[in-house]
Amino acid sequence: MSKLTINSTLRMNSGYEIPMLGYGVYQTPANICEHVVTKAFEAGYRHVDSAAVYRNEEPSAVAIKRSSIPRSQIFFTSKVPPRGLSYASAAAQVDASLKLTGLEYIDLMLLHAPYGGREARKGAWKALVEAQEAGKIRSIGVSNYGVQHLNEMEVYIKELETERGGEGKGGKIDVGQWEIHPWLPRRDIVEWCEKRGVVVQAYCPIVRGRRMDDPVLQPLVKKHGKTGAQVLIRWSLQKGFVPLPKSVTPSRIVENADVYDFELDAEDMKTLDINAYDPCAWDPTVAGLEE
């Protein structure tokens, strides 16, 4: 990978670029969301990760529109809620998010979780494909899908190609989003995505602050003179992921973006190569196909 900077991007299957460092607004109250997103922009972020269920799409968009940064340089993500998933609900959510935000397009729309059964997932995906074709959203993807759900997607993408009349008519997965950090590396999912050019986003990249005193992490903190959060975000970037650190504290928003003046060497990366399964958030990837 070329030298990482705060302006580093990855090209998605859609052809669009996604900024590698994102700013997450999960659980950010709507009444402070515009302020903290603005602070993130000031710190150099150009990527905001929201969702319908976060109830802060609107203030996130207000910050985007009031910023002096051109809209084309800001990447905005939202997500279709996981409950009541269907073709109709996904199509309606795209329109609702566009109306609520007042944005001309949404850069990325994800299916938030793989619940509802096969027909619900296929229908919701079809709605995203149609919205992408209509220019309402530029890139599409999934969140919290296990390998079993991803393999299923490949089948119904082929089905949609047949049903909708040709190659490419089933859509392509541009992005997948999961909780990923050294204590939850999700190697099977990452390998699946890498083989298909799917960009991997990592939420909870700093493990909600729960590992800052971990004996694996502490020597790297001392070696590089960085915080545990900065080391973990740097790890994510060097793995080729798109980390989505979240904070409402202005100093930490700045700190989490200050990760480009050091590099983890091969030995550091090996130290953080932990084969564990220790999620700090929910994990729909383990759900069965009928859930």
Side-chain angles (χ1 to χ4, degrees), residues 7 70 98 148 154-155 166 183 188 243 256 258-259 272 274:
N7 299 314
L98 283 169
Q148 69 276 22
E154 290 202 309
V155 176
W183 298 272
D188 56 340
N256 290 342
D258 183 20
V259 293
L272 293 172
I274 304 164

Side-chain angles (χ1 to χ4, degrees), residues 6 21-23 36 39-45 206 208-209 212 217 221 225-234 237 243 245-262:
I6 200 163
L21 181 66
Y23 177 64
V36 294
K39 289 292 181 186
F41 290 156
E42 290 171 359
Y45 298 80
I206 58 176
R208 295 182 171 172
M212 295 306 142
L217 187 59
V221 168
K226 288 290 185 175
T227 66
Q230 289 169 324
V231 170
L232 291 174
I233 292 167
R234 183 73 199 191
L237 289 166
K246 178 246 170 179
S247 178
V248 296
T249 306
S251 61
R252 286 188 179 161
I253 292 171
V254 172
E255 176 188 294
N256 290 342
D258 183 20
V259 293
Y260 300 99
D261 59 350
F262 77 108

Side-chain angles (χ1 to χ4, degrees), residues 19-41:
M20 283 188 74
L21 181 66
Y23 177 64
V25 293
Y26 171 65
Q27 290 188 332
T28 300
N31 64 337
I32 66 166
C33 191
E34 179 193 344
H35 174 71
V36 294
V37 170
T38 298
K39 289 292 181 186
F41 290 156

Side-chain angles (χ1 to χ4, degrees), residues 36-111:
V36 294
V37 170
T38 298
K39 289 292 181 186
F41 290 156
E42 290 171 359
Y45 298 80
R46 294 295 182 266
H47 175 175
V48 182
D49 181 80
S50 184
V53 297
Y54 299 173
R55 299 178 184 237
N56 55 25
E57 293 171 291
E58 185 176 15
S60 295
V62 170
I64 291 170
K65 290 183 287 187
R66 289 182 176 172
S67 169
S68 61
I69 304 162
R71 170 69 183 96
S72 61
Q73 294 178 22
I74 297 176
F75 192 96
F76 178 72
T77 300
S78 192
K79 308 178 190 80
V80 177
R83 299 298 180 184
L85 198 65
S86 67
Y87 172 83
S89 72
Q93 186 58 58
V94 171
D95 289 339
S97 292
L98 283 169
K99 183 177 180 181
L100 186 64
T101 60
L103 299 174
E104 291 184 6
Y105 61 88
I106 292 170
D107 293 276
L108 175 65
M109 199 81 176
L110 305 176
L111 301 180

Side-chain angles (χ1 to χ4, degrees), residues 183-249:
W183 298 272
L184 188 60
R186 299 200 190 278
R187 292 173 182 166
D188 56 340
I189 290 172
V190 170
E191 182 181 352
W192 194 99
C193 291
E194 287 177 345
K195 285 180 178 177
R196 295 158 177 85
V198 176
V199 170
V200 174
Q201 290 185 325
Y203 71 78
C204 295
I206 58 176
V207 208
R208 295 182 171 172
R210 295 177 186 175
R211 294 280 184 174
M212 295 306 142
D213 296 323
D214 193 286
V216 173
L217 187 59
Q218 273 301 305
L220 300 180
V221 168
K222 290 171 182 165
K223 175 180 176 179
H224 293 285
K226 288 290 185 175
T227 66
Q230 289 169 324
V231 170
L232 291 174
I233 292 167
R234 183 73 199 191
W235 173 87
S236 196
L237 289 166
Q238 288 184 212
K239 293 289 278 188
F241 304 152
V242 175
L244 304 169
K246 178 246 170 179
S247 178
V248 296
T249 306

Side-chain angles (χ1 to χ4, degrees), residues 129-170:
V129 173
E130 291 179 354
Q132 184 182 35
E133 291 172 347
K136 296 177 180 180
I137 48 184
R138 290 189 164 181
S139 302
I140 57 180
V142 296
S143 182
N144 299 301
Y145 273 44
V147 169
Q148 69 276 22
H149 305 111
L150 296 169
N151 287 336
E152 177 196 70
M153 278 194 82
E154 290 202 309
V155 176
Y156 61 64
I157 284 173
K158 287 292 185 187
E159 292 172 359
L160 286 169
E161 286 185 335
T162 301
E163 294 164 16
R164 302 186 70 238
E167 187 176 347
K169 288 291 187 177

